[in-house]
Amino acid sequence: QVQLVESGGGLVQPGGSLRLSCAASRSIANVNSMGWYRQAPGKQRELVATITSGGSPNYADSVKGRFTISGDNAKNTVSLQRNSLKPEDTAVYYCTLGKWGYTYWGQGTQVTVSS
């Protein structure tokens, strides 16, 4: 069983920056992609950003230009650098790993953007 462990959540002021990181509990071959989703209170879970094993990123329109995803396919790690944070970025952020049509999920890390 694969576990994804997220770190880097917390409280940050509007306009601030925060970096999330995620690592798989063991080495996994043939990973198709890794990424981040988030779920705000009372809302559905939504895509934030993903990156393929080849290094191609994909972003939700709401975070383009503010968030940057990076990954190390060999180490099964993925990070999300988030700048210019807004209160609407407040959510639980989940790390994902996709392999052969199956998606593994982390347990989530809370990020709160508030003054």
Side-chain angles (χ1 to χ4, degrees):
Q1 185 68 17
V2 175
Q3 289 185 331
L4 300 177
V5 181
E6 302 112 333
S7 61
L11 175 65
V12 62
Q13 292 187 342
S17 298
L18 207 60
R19 185 178 182 88
L20 298 180
S21 297
C22 173
S25 57
R26 62 176 179 83
S27 179
I28 305 166
N30 302 317
V31 172
N32 301 122
S33 67
M34 295 189 73
W36 294 91
Y37 284 69
R38 68 185 180 186
Q39 187 167 19
K43 295 187 177 181
Q44 290 187 333
R45 194 171 295 187
E46 63 176 3
L47 169 74
V48 177
T50 59
I51 187 166
T52 67
S53 58
S56 297
N58 178 51
Y59 297 96
D61 288 342
S62 59
V63 306
K64 283 181 180 177
R66 299 189 298 122
F67 290 10
T68 302
I69 189 170
S70 59
D72 187 328
N73 192 50
K75 296 181 179 179
N76 299 144
T77 60
V78 64
S79 297
L80 187 69
Q81 177 65 40
R82 301 165 309 135
N83 301 325
S84 303
L85 285 164
K86 305 175 181 179
E88 51 263 43
D89 293 318
T90 295
V92 177
Y93 284 72
Y94 297 90
C95 173
T96 64
L97 184 151
K99 174 177 178 176
W100 294 346
Y102 185 81
T103 301
Y104 295 91
W105 292 84
Q107 291 189 332
T109 184
Q110 176 69 47
V111 173
T112 301
V113 184
S114 175
S115 56

